[in-house]
Amino acid sequence: VQLQASGGGLVQAGGSLRLSCAASGRANSDYIMGWFRQAPGKEREFVASIRRAGERIDYAESVKGRFTISRDNANNTVYLQMNSLKPEDTAVYLCASGRYYSRVSGAYDYWGQGTLVTVSS
């Protein structure tokens, strides 16, 4: 499975971005999909995850109410809509896929290369 994340960029605080993660090599619907982020000098942290048919969604407390994860299995793509962005959201955002629903990065088998999100104050 190959994952390609895109959609990052520079945005002012309060703005919005939509990240996409396109999967190839295997049907997207076979996997749990997740978004993680890693800021400079910090550990990778869980952002959001979604089960195969979208029947269960989980968010980190820091993004709940501002971010929305969704998936389009027909197009093997998962999205992260990010609203009301804050400077502390600045990080490289990585998409991942795995077989087990988890907030732990080690539970995911495949990772994309990441896309940089920078939020200016």
Side-chain angles (χ1 to χ4, degrees):
V1 176
Q2 291 81 44
L3 303 176
Q4 181 73 39
S6 61
L10 174 63
V11 63
Q12 288 189 331
S16 298
L17 282 174
R18 188 194 196 200
L19 305 184
S20 299
C21 178
S24 60
R26 188 165 177 172
N28 201 37
S29 59
D30 291 345
Y31 292 93
I32 309 296
M33 299 298 296
W35 286 98
F36 288 75
R37 65 186 182 186
Q38 189 162 16
K42 294 188 177 181
E43 293 188 353
R44 187 171 296 180
E45 65 172 350
F46 169 80
V47 175
S49 61
I50 185 168
R51 293 196 71 167
R52 293 171 180 83
E55 72 274 25
R56 180 178 172 181
I57 291 173
D58 193 17
Y59 295 102
E61 285 300 316
S62 59
V63 306
K64 196 173 291 185
R66 299 187 298 121
F67 291 11
T68 303
I69 188 172
S70 60
R71 66 191 297 166
D72 179 352
N73 289 337
N75 291 303
N76 284 345
T77 303
V78 63
Y79 303 98
L80 186 68
Q81 177 67 43
M82 305 186 296
N83 298 329
S84 301
L85 282 161
K86 304 174 181 180
E88 52 263 44
D89 293 320
T90 294
V92 173
Y93 283 71
L94 306 105
C95 61
S97 66
R99 293 167 291 170
Y100 305 105
Y101 195 73
S102 176
R103 292 185 169 214
V104 178
S105 61
Y108 291 80
D109 301 310
Y110 303 99
W111 291 83
Q113 86 291 353
T115 185
L116 177 62
V117 172
T118 303
V119 184
S120 62
S121 57

